[in-house]
């Protein structure tokens, strides 16, 4: 009987974000065919995706094969691994498998998005369960959030290991290290393919332990005389724990500001993933009435996002917290590429308010949650797969991760550098090959309530409009004589400042009148007008607005 | 007689870019009043300045006081110090004073922009000349371009020193160190105010010497078997010199690719600022016909700019250079905030072409041209001014630079943290004060041939259009009956993908017909249509396109 295992990256390979991988088992008996999904993340739009709210993976292939899909294993509770769930679960309602904290974060998210009836099975971090032809085993990995796992999936033709997002932190905040024992056991049993986190494949050495942040916080807390405000991701539970620990040590109360962070903290405390005395927490209004030197505020805003609590404080727009001289602010994050300008703006505004601000340029206020090169080598060495597939990274990270594997002795033909939509097909003779762009894996854009209705045409128009605006000429012509009956009326936005552009507009009207008179009532008047107007406007301004003539025949 | 000296930052203070400072001397005899300008730079548009080509300083104040303006001293040939000249010289035609290389770079730039009749006086790097009430002295500073200077201006009430862009490189590529002797001499003579470069005020320690790049290049050249391609700024003459040196050492010929870089290199070689054997240079077509291992290509693209040579190569769009496996590429630059996404895209494409790529994440391929904290302290210690004014930096850099001065014993009241448009007024009793926002210093946006005609209204419209596009409804109504005579016709772009939005458009037409029928022929039909259509479209899509009804009465 011929059997194949197909590894299908639907997101997160060749980009950082919206992680989703499908594993598909096939054999001659169709009844055995099955698909297992790992993660369902979202991604923030790239700069050219104007007006887009977020980006999720393309699940067309999964919907076509809906009957085969047995479930989704979620490795951890970060947005790039769970953020697509509110959008795909209503269409692909399959069971979710997640550890306790991850399940809690998913529930918070689904509730916020009014998605009901999700079927979430809570699993321990070292779990083993059978789903159709798949034996699913999970193992703990340390990352910037507790309760993260990697996944080993054993099929009739072999085992595939997915590292999840990991680092080999020797001193993680929650004390839970990456499960070397399980990785070694898997390696000993024999692994067909390893999919491993490539995020930091361009970082030599080891990623520092999350614990170095404790030293930084201690230094800053020792110096600070007023309030301390710490900004980080709402999902960075480990960092929030460190803030709580430092606050306890320096006898400060902690005020959690912002809806998403409050929800996460409440849930993490309830589930026992945040270790804090309930007495330590205070509300924002209570924080106003105790000495500044006894207050820590923890909030969102590590990326300077305009809607975050920190950016609102910096802009004097936050309802509960008004900055004052003497405040000390720690931006406990590093910039996601593309966010630098927002971060700098927020930093400058914080300095304008007279705050003392610490950020990553001159203090270790953040460490990565992802393995650097030496740790990535350990993962490969422990698991010792036949095939290596770098995932979770931009293209350059995949290539550099592949080169690390080559340094360890892997031959190039046993390494698959793939992108979303490629299929790695492994057969029962442990042969592997890549089918390029076999499966649809486009960026699915979410804009308002539209999911996937916006594509390149709309984005190209938005880009054009963003550059030079539009110029619309409305006129009516007599069907018989070809003479202008009304208009031309001009509507233009984003092109010129109208009050100062009278002569330009008058000139454009002249162009329209002449072109209409010369066109001898042919059918191509709109095309002619578009051409002549575009030429006139470019000559006059060296700009190229979107030109649209609206000609009505009466 | 009462005398005042006004220091007026018109650009570059509170931002990185478009540097321009005016010094204005006033006394009771109006005849003595005079203005001297230092630098005239441009800035790349910020993310929110959609469709804008570049940003230059506001010279309204200088034009109002045109008769007093004696000239512009240019400190060095970088864009953020000379880039506004093609736009302002036609309106403010005053003499320029610049060192030889700087003058050469200005001439290249003016020629490219077809600006003629500029009056450029070439000065040595240690110059002294009188302009009205100003004794202008320059002193050499090391930076990432040769022939840079700082400026000391002595007026009847004291001396102001402007550091220019500097670092205290102990081993600069051109051998010309920052002129400590002159700085010490000025300090000994007594300085009223120091304006100093704040760019790296958040970097502890010393900026590494430009010379460390020589080691990096040597390591990469020793390993590379194929062609080597080095991308940097066209104006980074020091880096180009290092590329030439490494190429000579490893017996490689050098091909300079790209118009701007070729112009600069030719001029710098002619003036003796680039030290190279003419035999070392080859043309792109010659480079195709010699062994790869004997070729170095130097080109633009350090910021991943889509129009740069490197980005075109990465996109397979470059006419002269086609990448091939075996090529080694050095991105010899660090990202200007906001450019990270472009750089990453270019990097990924280079890896896709199979090149070996070195960039700043894991190799010292770039050093800053600006002083770090310890060097900034030296500048202050040597010049020992009465007043300290941090310039050339975002707001946070100014604050951190001010704190350095405080660490050195300066009192807060002798430090002026100012922004563009503020005026620091010093009197002849060595008292100083700041007049906030005394002078117009807006961002002047250049878009096409328009200079300053685009402002917030147009930018706001572009932003709106970029987010959700537009929705225009054209209809004609009978003036007497209020009935619809033609239309409604809909034009929409950047909002929905029209082929799939038929029912939405039909619904919108219904809304228009109902609103028109209900409006009982009143004058507010356009406003009503706008409101009802906006509400309908938002309800249906959760998007807010720009809605414009065009109602013609017939």
């Amino acid at each position: 009987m011929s059997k194949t295992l197909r590894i299908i990256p639907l997101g997160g390979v060749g980009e950082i974000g919206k992680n989703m991988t499908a594993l598909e088992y096939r054999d001659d008996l169709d009844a055995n065919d099955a698909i297992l999904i790992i993660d369902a993340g979202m991604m923030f739009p790239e700069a050219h995706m104007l007006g887009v709210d977020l980006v999720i993976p393309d699940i067309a292939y999964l919907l076509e094969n809906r009957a085969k899909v047995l479930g989704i294993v979620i490795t951890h509770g970060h947005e790039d691994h769970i953020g697509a769930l509110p959008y795909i679960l209503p269409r692909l309602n399959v069971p979710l498998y997640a550890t306790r904290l991850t399940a809690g974060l998913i529930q918070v998210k689904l509730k916020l998005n009014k998605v009901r009836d999700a079927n979430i099975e809570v699993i321990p971090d070292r779990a083993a369960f059978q789903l159709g032809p798949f034996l699913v085993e999970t193992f703990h990995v340390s990352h910037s959030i507790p309760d993260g796992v990697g996944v080993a999936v054993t099929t009739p033709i072999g085992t595939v290991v997915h590292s999840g997002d990991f680092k080999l932190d020797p001193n993680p905040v929650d004390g839970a290290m990456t499960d070397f024992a399980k990785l070694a056991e898997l390696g000993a049993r024999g692994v067909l393919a390893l999919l491993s986190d490539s995020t930091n494949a361009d970082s030599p050495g080891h990623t520092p332990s999350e614990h170095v942040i404790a030293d930084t916080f201690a230094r800053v807390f020792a110096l600070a005389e007023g309030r301390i405000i710490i900004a980080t991701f709402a999902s960075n539970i480990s960092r929030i724990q460190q803030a709580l620990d430092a606050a306890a040590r320096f006898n400060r109360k902690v005020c959690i500001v912002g809806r998403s962070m409050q929800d996460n903290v409440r849930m993490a405390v309830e589930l026992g993933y945040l270790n804090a005395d309930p007495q330590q927490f205070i509300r924002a209004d209570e924080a106003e009435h105790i000495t500044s030197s006894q207050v820590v505020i923890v909030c969102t805003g590590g990326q300077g996002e305009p809607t975050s609590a920190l950016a609102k404080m910096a802009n004097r727009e936050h309802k509960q917290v008004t900055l004052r001289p003497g405040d000390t602010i720690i931006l406990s994050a590093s910039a996601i590429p593309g966010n630098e300008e927002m971060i700098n703006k927020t930093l400058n505004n914080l300095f304008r308010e007279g705050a003392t601000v610490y950020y990553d340029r001159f203090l270790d206020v953040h460490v990565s949650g992802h393995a650097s090169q030496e740790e990535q080598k350990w993962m490969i060495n422990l698991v010792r797969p036949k095939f290596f597939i770098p995932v979770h990274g931009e293209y350059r990270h995949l290539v550099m991760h592949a080169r690390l594997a080559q340094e360890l002795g892997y031959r190039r033909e046993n390494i698959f550098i793939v992108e979303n939509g490629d299929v790695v097909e492994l057969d029962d003779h442990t042969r592997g090959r890549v089918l390029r762009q076999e499966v649809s894996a486009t960026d699915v854009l979410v804009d308002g309530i539209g999911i996937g209705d916006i594509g390149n045409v709309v984005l190209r128009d938005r880009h054009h409009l963003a550059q030079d605006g539009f110029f619309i000429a409305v006129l009516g012509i007599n069907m018989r004589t070809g003479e202008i009956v009304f208009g031309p009326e001009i509507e233009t936005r984003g092109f010129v400042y109208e009050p100062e552009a009278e002569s330009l507009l008058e000139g454009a009207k002249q162009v329209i009148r002449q072109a209409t008179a010369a066109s001898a009532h042919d059918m191509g008047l709109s095309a002619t007008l578009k051409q002549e107007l575009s030429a006139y406007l470019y000559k006059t301004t060296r700009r190229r607005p979107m030109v649209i003539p609206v000609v009505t025949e009466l």
Side-chain angles (χ1 to χ4, degrees), chain A:
Chain A
M1 189 164 75
S2 113
K3 305 167 190 168
T4 54
L5 176 62
R6 289 153 55 96
I7 300 169
I8 312 173
L10 291 169
V13 182
E15 67 194 359
I16 298 217
K18 70 170 171 77
N19 293 282
M20 177 179 269
T21 307
L23 302 181
E24 181 177 19
Y25 174 73
R26 290 180 178 179
D27 64 22
D28 299 339
L29 301 171
D30 286 353
N32 294 333
D33 289 4
I35 293 174
L36 179 72
I37 303 167
I38 299 173
D39 288 331
M42 59 82 101
M43 183 168 77
F44 291 105
E46 294 171 35
H48 69 94
M49 299 174 182
L50 294 170
V52 171
D53 298 333
L54 51 98
V55 188
I56 59 173
D58 185 345
I59 57 166
Y61 184 76
L62 303 175
L63 292 173
E64 281 163 29
N65 295 280
R66 171 67 188 81
K68 297 186 198 169
V69 181
L70 302 182
I72 309 177
V73 180
I74 303 287
T75 59
H76 63 286
H78 280 159
E79 288 296 340
D80 57 335
H81 296 258
I82 68 170
L85 288 172
Y87 305 95
I88 68 166
L89 277 188
R91 300 176 70 203
L92 186 78
N93 197 3
V94 296
L96 302 179
Y97 301 87
T99 56
R100 221 148 57 95
L101 178 65
T102 307
L105 288 162
I106 293 170
Q107 269 151 348
V108 166
K109 168 165 285 296
L110 294 178
K111 197 174 158 196
L112 201 70
N113 285 276
K114 303 193 177 64
V115 176
R116 288 182 194 84
D117 305 323
N119 175 359
I120 308 179
E121 184 132 343
V122 176
I123 56 173
D125 59 358
R126 204 192 246 210
F129 53 99
Q130 192 77 33
L131 281 180
F134 304 115
L135 169 65
V136 179
E137 294 169 278
T138 56
F139 51 89
H140 185 79
V141 289
S142 59
H143 185 43
S144 48
I145 188 170
D147 230 13
V149 295
V151 188
V153 180
T154 301
T155 71
I157 71 161
T159 299
V160 173
V161 173
H162 191 303
S163 72
D165 287 12
F166 79 99
K167 65 192 281 192
L168 303 184
D169 192 335
N171 190 10
V173 174
D174 62 358
M177 272 168 285
T178 295
D179 191 344
F180 277 65
K182 184 73 188 180
L183 288 168
E185 179 203 316
L186 290 164
R189 260 163 47 188
V191 170
L192 194 55
L194 167 66
L195 285 67
S196 185
D197 175 2
S198 310
T199 311
N200 283 344
D202 56 359
S203 295
H206 295 77
T207 303
S209 168
E210 175 72 22
H211 224 88
V212 306
I213 303 297
D215 295 337
T216 301
F217 281 4
R219 280 169 63 193
V220 174
F221 275 62
L223 286 171
E225 289 170 2
R227 295 186 299 185
I228 295 173
I229 300 172
I230 299 176
T232 190
F233 279 117
S235 61
N236 198 331
I237 304 290
S238 305
R239 199 62 49 82
I240 297 169
Q241 180 71 62
Q242 303 228 57
L244 289 168
D245 292 348
R249 185 170 155 199
F250 286 85
N251 291 313
R252 287 174 180 254
K253 300 283 188 186
V254 176
C255 172
I256 308 287
V257 169
R259 171 78 185 276
S260 56
M261 197 168 263
Q262 283 169 346
D263 286 349
N264 286 349
V265 166
R266 187 177 307 117
M267 189 270 304
V269 168
E270 274 169 22
L271 298 181
Y273 287 93
L274 266 178
N275 190 1
D277 175 358
Q279 299 294 319
Q280 205 185 344
F281 293 106
I282 52 172
R283 293 193 314 270
D285 59 315
E286 293 170 327
E288 290 295 306
H289 297 107
I290 61 174
T291 319
S292 300
S293 62
Q294 293 173 4
V295 176
V296 174
I297 292 170
V298 181
C299 63
T300 57
Q303 298 298 315
E305 323 89 286
T307 56
S308 68
L310 188 69
K312 284 184 184 161
M313 292 175 200
N315 291 330
R316 303 188 183 187
E317 286 167 3
H318 198 278
K319 283 179 192 150
Q320 296 172 304
V321 182
T322 305
L323 294 180
R324 38 190 195 239
D327 284 342
T328 294
I329 294 163
I330 307 175
L331 203 80
S332 188
S334 69
I336 294 175
N339 292 352
E340 289 78 3
E341 219 177 300
M342 290 194 306
I343 292 176
N344 287 345
K345 198 167 183 175
T346 297
L347 285 173
N348 288 322
N349 287 338
L350 293 171
F351 276 95
R352 273 201 186 84
E353 297 303 308
T356 300
V357 189
Y358 296 94
Y359 55 101
D360 64 354
R361 177 100 181 179
F362 58 94
L363 196 67
D364 294 331
V365 289
H366 181 69
V367 295
S368 170
H370 299 270
S372 296
Q373 290 177 350
E374 297 307 309
E375 297 159 273
Q376 290 172 332
K377 287 184 193 167
W378 271 112
M379 178 60 72
I380 298 170
N381 283 334
L382 283 165
V383 175
R384 286 183 293 157
K386 163 124 198 226
F387 297 110
F388 178 63
I389 307 173
V391 297
H392 202 292
E394 296 185 38
Y395 197 86
R396 67 182 187 281
H397 303 120
L398 308 180
V399 173
M400 295 188 81
H401 205 177
R403 286 186 191 153
L404 290 185
Q406 287 181 270
E407 282 178 32
L408 296 178
Y410 278 79
R411 282 178 305 167
R412 184 65 188 80
E413 59 265 34
N414 283 359
I415 301 170
F416 299 120
I417 297 178
V418 293
E419 295 192 78
N420 299 332
D422 291 346
V423 173
V424 177
E425 196 168 70
L426 308 175
D427 69 19
D428 46 359
H429 297 89
T430 67
R431 288 176 306 214
R433 59 175 184 151
V434 178
L435 310 172
R436 295 285 169 194
Q437 295 305 298
E438 180 76 0
V439 161
S440 170
T442 56
D443 288 329
V444 173
L445 310 182
V446 177
D447 182 6
I449 57 174
I451 301 175
D453 67 324
I454 290 215
N456 287 334
V457 174
V458 173
L459 288 183
R460 206 161 47 226
D461 284 345
R462 285 182 183 173
H463 185 74
H464 188 167
L465 292 167
Q467 290 296 306
D468 286 323
F470 68 79
F471 191 97
I472 293 184
V474 177
L475 67 160
I477 59 169
N478 182 308
M479 229 156 103
R480 284 185 305 110
T481 64
E483 280 171 3
I484 295 180
V485 182
F486 69 86
E489 260 187 71
I490 307 289
E491 291 288 345
T492 180
R493 298 285 191 286
F495 167 49
V496 290
Y497 185 55
E498 272 190 84
E500 290 170 7
E502 261 179 57
S503 74
L504 176 85
L505 297 185
E506 205 34 68
K509 287 181 183 173
Q510 268 313 108
V511 169
I512 294 168
R513 288 190 197 105
Q514 283 164 11
T516 308
S519 81
H521 188 214
D522 66 359
M523 291 302 288
L525 180 57
S526 281
T528 307
L529 284 178
K530 183 170 175 158
Q531 193 179 346
E532 305 254 317
L533 272 176
S534 300
Y536 168 76
L537 297 175
Y538 181 71
K539 200 185 72 184
T540 320
T541 64
R542 288 284 182 277
R543 297 174 198 162
R544 298 188 187 282
M546 186 182 281
V547 173
I548 304 179
V550 182
V551 180
T552 300
E553 300 200 335
L554 290 169

